[in-house]
Amino acid sequence: MTADQTPHTFQVDLRGLVDLLSHHLYSSPKVYLRELLQNAVDAITARRAEQPDAPARVRLYAEDGRLRVEDSGIGLTESDVHSLLATIGRSSKRDGLESARAEFLGQFGIGLLACFVVAAEIRVVSRSARTPDAPPVEWAARDDGSYTVRTLPDSARPEPGTTVHLTARPGSGDWLAEERVLALARDFGSLLPYDVCVGGKAVTELPAPWDRTYTSPAARRVALAGHCHELFGFSPLDSVDLDLPVAGVRGVAYILPSAVSPAQRSGHRVHLKGMLLTDRADELLPDWAFFVRCVVDTDALRPTASREALYADETLAAVRDALGGRIREWLTGLAAGDPERLAQFLSVHHLGVKSLARHDTEMLRTMLPWLPFETTDGRLSLEEFALRHPVVHFTRTVEEYRQVAPIASAQGIGVINGGYTYDTELVELLAAVRPGTVVAELDADTVTAHLDSVDPAEELALAGFLAAARARLDVLGCDVALRAFHPLTVPALHLDDREARHEQARAEAEEQADDLWAGILGSLRGSAPRARLVLNHLNPLIRRISSLDDKELAQTATEALYGQALLMAQRPLRPADSALLNRAFMGLLEWATHDQENGR
């Protein structure tokens, strides 16, 4: 038995293809206008490749659910119509114009097909500039996949070029209204190199705002600020020129006037040879540059199939790094020549610069005198803090900082709060960019070592009280120590470190686990020091509590001191801690009311 070797062609369901285009390839029906503009611009580019002095104009007219687009481009013959418009995927750029291929934006066939997203009928009337003796030709198609081709008298199209007529689909008339068409044309085509008008109103605005000549730098800043407000809806702190001639990129980056989350996706506008490709190009700049919004025009980057995003390749990666370099140079220039403006910028966007400085030691070195950090001396730069303190102590979490900051400050220990995003990483890099700087993590032992010891005789006299206090807090995994420290107003200090908290969490999990997991968790038991409650012997309240004859009352007071120390450190309370606070509060109330009832 022999196989059938007869060649077959694919049958295309145009309705299904239109549905695919509208719901899966294109983000919105509005792209139909971009495709029409691209076809017109490409046709003009093709004609000018052969006839440099040919007219270059595109005219759009919208009325009563119909749209007419006229261009002075290369035009089509009857054979071109059959080969290009009747065959999906063919392009007028493939045959005879390879030398000009880099100048084209899209494919005529698939681009025109996209118009069926909003149109029920498409009619194309065209006359070829290459074959001026050929008569005009008409291609008329419906969204059911049927089409007709016929030649027309010369009067139907006296000059070379193409006219596209669209008739709206039911429910899509708004997309072909003049006001909507004008807005879309200006959005997509404001930087196109040819004369484009909608109903007599100009669309193109060349040269681009960043390429225009201004009377002064101040006038340029004002003009760019207006451009930014028109595009993005905000007035920028500053603008940065993005000029990469080698990569064919020109544009400007606008600095946001308010802080944004690093996770927020950027909405950069990218024009490809003057045509807007996308206004959501979040991959154009490095992740650390989340504090800018930019608009660029390029002829080097590749679009995706839908021509609504950038193709992720080596060229895009190189452009991304180069644009990041421009923003880095702007920051360095501010640090060198305009510290007031840099301070204004950092007051809003220090997080973005810290993100950059993590991976760029030169940037960190440049920004040392400027980047703000929370410290026990107030908000200071790393440079100023390092000049004040021989050892730069830091904590890794905000909770640890809140525990030790008041006490460390009173003891003359300078501490940086490294609990905020990127801060610990930058402090740890300080020694590398500032030779001779000593950086050390501040832990509970370091703090305790800086607290004054109590006279042994006085501590021995309070041995009974300390033993009772330790017994009461032992079940919470907390030791009790007696020290003398400032400020006097702090009666007790709760100290622990990450290892102590890990061991505490392990012990709690072991208590709640079944026999198997309890055994496994028990084998992981560490030797880390336990948390400790440091009582301030200089505080009058501690002196009174430690001299109580009522052991039970002293233990209740110790529990209250423990809870108060946790609250002062703004530490999250475990269920056991909450129960202890409640018990201590009720116990003290009961003791106070009991004494009152007995006339004391």
Side-chain angles (χ1 to χ4, degrees):
M1 180 171 138
T2 59
D4 182 5
Q5 299 296 319
T6 304
H8 300 276
T9 58
F10 286 103
Q11 300 300 309
V12 176
D13 178 359
L14 187 58
R15 291 185 186 275
L17 187 55
V18 169
D19 181 72
L20 177 67
L21 291 173
S22 60
H23 291 95
H24 300 284
L25 183 62
Y26 296 125
S27 63
S28 166
K30 69 180 182 180
V31 297
Y32 88 91
L33 193 71
R34 182 195 64 194
E35 300 296 345
L36 288 173
L37 288 175
Q38 283 187 349
N39 287 337
V41 168
D42 287 346
I44 294 172
T45 302
R47 184 176 180 184
R48 285 204 154 187
E50 299 181 1
Q51 304 172 16
D53 296 330
R57 60 179 179 270
V58 182
R59 298 290 183 265
L60 296 90
Y61 305 93
E63 185 178 5
D64 298 331
R66 297 177 181 273
L67 176 65
R68 185 173 85 254
V69 182
E70 301 176 353
D71 70 65
S72 58
I74 193 69
L76 302 172
T77 63
E78 183 176 358
S79 61
D80 291 334
V81 168
H82 281 292
S83 63
L84 297 175
L85 299 188
T87 305
I88 294 173
R90 288 296 302 276
S91 170
S92 59
K93 275 68 80 176
R94 290 182 182 164
D95 301 314
L97 288 174
E98 289 298 324
S99 62
R101 183 168 184 165
E103 302 301 322
F104 294 108
L105 297 173
Q107 291 188 335
F108 189 89
I110 194 67
L112 191 62
L113 183 66
C115 293
F116 278 120
V117 172
V118 297
E121 298 179 8
I122 302 176
R123 187 165 67 91
V124 179
V125 177
S126 187
R127 183 163 194 160
S128 175
R130 285 191 224 163
T131 314
D133 294 336
V137 61
E138 177 193 75
W139 177 86
R142 296 184 59 83
D143 59 1
D144 60 5
S146 63
Y147 72 93
T148 60
V149 178
R150 62 176 180 144
T151 58
L152 301 175
D154 288 347
S155 59
R157 178 81 200 194
E159 300 294 330
T162 300
T163 301
V164 179
H165 302 263
L166 300 187
T167 301
R169 302 176 70 177
S172 298
D174 288 348
W175 289 105
L176 273 59
E178 181 175 348
E179 185 177 349
R180 174 74 68 91
V181 171
L182 177 60
L184 291 177
R186 284 176 172 168
D187 193 38
F188 284 120
S190 62
L191 300 184
L192 289 174
Y194 304 133
D195 177 20
V196 181
C197 291
V198 175
K201 299 175 182 176
V203 168
T204 51
E205 300 176 357
L206 294 180
W210 52 85
D211 286 330
R212 295 172 191 166
T213 301
Y214 298 94
T215 56
S216 66
R220 186 175 191 270
R221 282 197 298 271
V222 171
L224 289 179
H227 178 246
C228 175
H229 195 276
E230 181 181 349
L231 283 185
F232 299 111
F234 65 84
S235 298
L237 283 178
D238 205 350
S239 59
V240 184
D241 285 320
L242 303 177
D243 184 12
L244 303 175
V246 175
V249 175
R250 287 280 297 155
V252 62
Y254 294 115
I255 310 301
L256 289 164
S258 56
V260 294
S261 166
Q264 182 173 324
R265 308 303 289 176
S266 303
H268 305 305
R269 292 175 63 90
V270 177
H271 294 255
L272 180 61
K273 303 181 182 71
M275 181 72 72
L276 179 66
L277 182 73
T278 178
D279 57 5
R280 298 187 300 274
D282 54 21
E283 69 275 33
L284 186 65
L285 293 181
D287 290 341
W288 55 261
F290 55 83
F291 51 84
V292 305
R293 297 291 180 269
C294 68
V295 52
V296 300
D297 187 25
T298 175
D299 56 16
L301 299 177
R302 291 173 55 195
T304 58
S306 66
R307 296 197 291 280
E308 292 187 279
L310 294 170
Y311 187 80
D313 58 9
E314 293 181 358
T315 302
L316 177 58
V319 168
R320 182 189 303 117
D321 290 342
L323 293 179
R326 288 287 186 271
I327 297 173
R328 187 185 293 108
E329 290 170 5
W330 170 77
L331 284 169
T332 304
L334 286 187
D338 199 342
E340 184 176 338
R341 198 143 56 107
L342 176 63
Q344 180 186 12
F345 165 77
L346 289 177
S347 68
V348 179
H349 296 300
H350 58 273
L351 198 59
V353 180
K354 287 180 178 181
S355 175
L356 168 60
R358 290 182 305 153
H359 308 292
D360 188 330
T361 53
E362 188 58 38
M363 177 56 65
L364 177 57
R365 187 177 290 109
T366 301
M367 291 294 156
L368 278 181
W370 308 103
L371 285 176
F373 288 77
E374 182 180 356
T375 79
T376 49
D377 294 349
R379 289 188 70 79
L380 298 177
S381 69
L382 289 179
E383 177 71 21
E384 187 173 357
F385 187 85
L387 289 173
R388 294 187 181 189
H389 300 279
V391 178
V392 177
H393 287 103
F394 72 95
T395 63
R396 291 187 180 274
T397 68
V398 174
E399 290 78 10
E400 291 173 354
Y401 177 80
R402 288 169 177 165
Q403 281 186 90
V404 302
I407 308 305
S409 179
Q411 307 303 313
I413 307 172
V415 185
I416 295 176
N417 183 357
Y420 297 114
T421 307
Y422 311 132
D423 284 8
T424 289
E425 297 171 78
L426 295 178
V427 174
E428 290 179 323
L429 288 170
L430 186 58
V433 298
R434 194 178 186 276
T437 303
V438 179
V439 177
E441 182 176 354
L442 187 67
D443 56 23
D445 288 336
T446 303
V447 176
T448 304
H450 280 78
L451 304 181
D452 294 334
S453 299
V454 178
D455 181 86
E458 293 186 20
E459 187 167 2
L460 182 61
L462 300 177
F465 162 72
L466 293 175
R470 289 178 182 128
R472 181 55 63 93
L473 297 184
D474 181 67
V475 294
L476 297 172
C478 182
D479 290 332
V480 177
L482 186 65
R483 294 288 188 275
F485 56 86
H486 293 273
L488 301 180
T489 53
V490 177
L493 177 66
H494 182 272
L495 293 177
D496 65 0
D497 52 29
R498 280 172 295 133
E499 292 183 355
R501 289 195 295 275
H502 291 164
E503 173 60 20
Q504 189 177 64
R506 185 210 60 78
E508 291 176 357
E510 181 181 356
E511 290 179 2
Q512 300 172 8
D514 57 29
D515 292 343
L516 174 60
W517 282 107
I520 294 174
L521 291 169
S523 67
L524 298 176
R525 182 179 295 110
S527 58
R530 306 202 319 165
R532 70 201 70 172
L533 181 69
V534 183
L535 303 178
N536 187 1
H537 188 56
L538 299 180
N539 181 268
L541 177 61
I542 295 298
R543 288 179 176 272
R544 289 196 296 271
I545 293 174
S546 61
S547 63
L548 289 172
D549 295 329
D550 188 335
K551 179 181 177 181
E552 184 63 30
L553 177 58
Q555 289 182 321
T556 300
T558 301
E559 289 180 334
L561 290 169
Y562 172 84
Q564 187 263 353
L566 285 180
L567 294 175
M568 289 296 294
Q570 300 185 40
R571 290 288 306 278
L573 299 180
R574 301 168 296 163
D577 297 330
S578 299
L580 174 142
L581 269 174
N582 184 63
R583 184 173 63 249
F585 178 72
M586 298 303 294
L588 291 176
L589 281 180
E590 186 176 324
W591 175 81
T593 54
H594 175 75
D595 281 356
Q596 190 172 17
E597 289 175 356
N598 287 278
R600 287 193 293 170

